[in-house]
Structure formats: C-alpha cells, structure tokens
C-alpha cells in the first residue's frame, strides 16, 4: 500500500528508493507580483544608477521611503528612489557578499532626514535569472 503523504522518496516493494516529484501547491511569480502592484519595477532608473539586472521594490518599502508624504517640501519620488538605489549600490561595493544585504538610507519624511534600514535580496527571477528586490527588513 502506497503512502498518500507527499514525500520526496518512496520505497518500492523491491526495497529500492525511487524519486518522487514534489507537487506545487501554490506559486506566485515575480511577474504576477509586479502586475498586482505588490512589487514596483524600478529597473529603468536602476540601470541609470549602474545596476545590470532587474530591480524591483516592494510596495510597502515604496510607500514608506519613496512616496513623498503630504506636507513634505522639496522632495520628489525620482530623487528619493535615486537615493535608495545609490545607497544600495554603495553598500554592495562596500560589503556585497551574499544574497541579502541590509543598508541605510537617509529619508526625509517630516522635514528632517532620518536614517532608515532597507534590505536588498538578490535571487532568482521567474526564469532563474538574477534579480534584486528592495524591501523593508521584516519582509521576505
């Protein structure tokens, strides 16, 4: 009798281990996340800043640190995004080993710049190509 549990291997009657494929229960692609607005594609400006792979930012990180809050003067989204990308680029050059990097950006959300932490993860995209995602430290 075969076990109905989803396992990676099963033992046949002859005692040999046989590979069993994993069953994908749910998948959510980067393309879907971009289309849904969960991720925001910032690749064009990232290329201008010297990045050679696609870059996206989570909507939560965008809302907190790129979108200009009401009442804050002398700021625009393009300039704030540029600051995020350049600080990430400098952090990568300084200590860019590994797939995850925490970095600091000064953000003016109330007319006084304050340091905030962001996280960048380099991982596989939908076709296993390298991509970077910028997010809040608690996101994954």
């Amino acid at each position: 009798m075969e076990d109905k549990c989803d396992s990676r291997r099963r033992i046949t009657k002859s005692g040999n281990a046989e590979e069993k494929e994993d069953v994908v229960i749910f998948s959510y692609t980067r393309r879907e996340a971009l289309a849904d607005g969960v991720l925001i594609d910032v690749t064009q400006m990232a290329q201008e800043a010297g990045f050679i792979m696609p870059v996206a930012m989570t909507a939560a990180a965008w809302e907190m640190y790129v979108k200009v809050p009401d009442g804050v003067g002398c700021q625009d989204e393009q300039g704030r995004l540029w600051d995020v990308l350049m600080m990430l680029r400098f952090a990568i050059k300084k200590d860019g080993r590994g797939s995850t990097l925490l970095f600091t950006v000064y953000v003016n959300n109330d007319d006084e710049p304050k340091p905030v932490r962001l996280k960048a993860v380099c991982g596989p995209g939908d076709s296993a190509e390298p991509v970077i995602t910028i997010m809040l430290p608690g996101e994954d």
Side-chain angles (χ1 to χ4, degrees), residues 6-68:
D6 186 24
S7 61
R8 292 187 188 270
R9 296 184 183 271
R10 65 184 171 96
I11 306 298
T12 64
K13 286 182 183 179
S14 66
N16 295 328
E18 180 180 295
E19 286 291 324
K20 185 175 182 182
E21 275 191 45
D22 290 331
V23 176
V24 176
I25 296 171
F26 178 79
S27 71
Y28 189 60
T29 65
R30 186 175 180 90
R31 177 181 289 190
E32 290 169 330
L34 289 163
D36 292 345
V38 174
L39 291 178
I40 298 166
D41 188 0
V42 298
T43 300
Q44 183 175 348
M45 185 173 286
Q47 288 173 336
E48 293 172 22
F51 289 85
I52 59 172
M53 60 187 69
V55 180
M57 191 170 197
T58 63
W62 180 279
E63 284 292 316
M64 290 184 74
Y65 301 127
V66 175
K67 183 178 177 185
V68 181

Side-chain angles (χ1 to χ4, degrees), residues 21-134:
E21 275 191 45
D22 290 331
V23 176
V24 176
I25 296 171
F26 178 79
S27 71
Y28 189 60
T29 65
R30 186 175 180 90
R31 177 181 289 190
E32 290 169 330
L34 289 163
D36 292 345
V38 174
L39 291 178
I40 298 166
D41 188 0
V42 298
T43 300
Q44 183 175 348
M45 185 173 286
Q47 288 173 336
E48 293 172 22
F51 289 85
I52 59 172
M53 60 187 69
V55 180
M57 191 170 197
T58 63
W62 180 279
E63 284 292 316
M64 290 184 74
Y65 301 127
V66 175
K67 183 178 177 185
V68 181
D70 292 336
V72 174
C74 302
Q75 298 277 306
D76 66 25
E77 289 183 356
Q78 296 299 312
R80 289 165 68 102
L81 176 57
W82 182 261
D83 291 346
V84 169
L85 293 169
M86 290 308 295
M87 294 310 293
L88 172 56
R89 189 155 182 244
F90 296 146
I92 290 169
K93 283 187 175 196
K94 181 179 177 193
D95 189 29
R97 288 174 251 133
S99 61
T100 302
L101 179 65
L102 291 171
F103 65 103
T104 302
V105 180
Y106 277 81
V107 177
N108 183 356
N109 277 347
D110 57 7
D111 286 329
E112 186 176 326
K114 293 183 178 82
V116 299
R117 298 286 277 173
L118 288 170
K119 178 170 71 172
V121 176
C122 182
D126 295 342
S127 300
E129 76 283 12
V131 297
I132 295 174
T133 306
I134 302 168

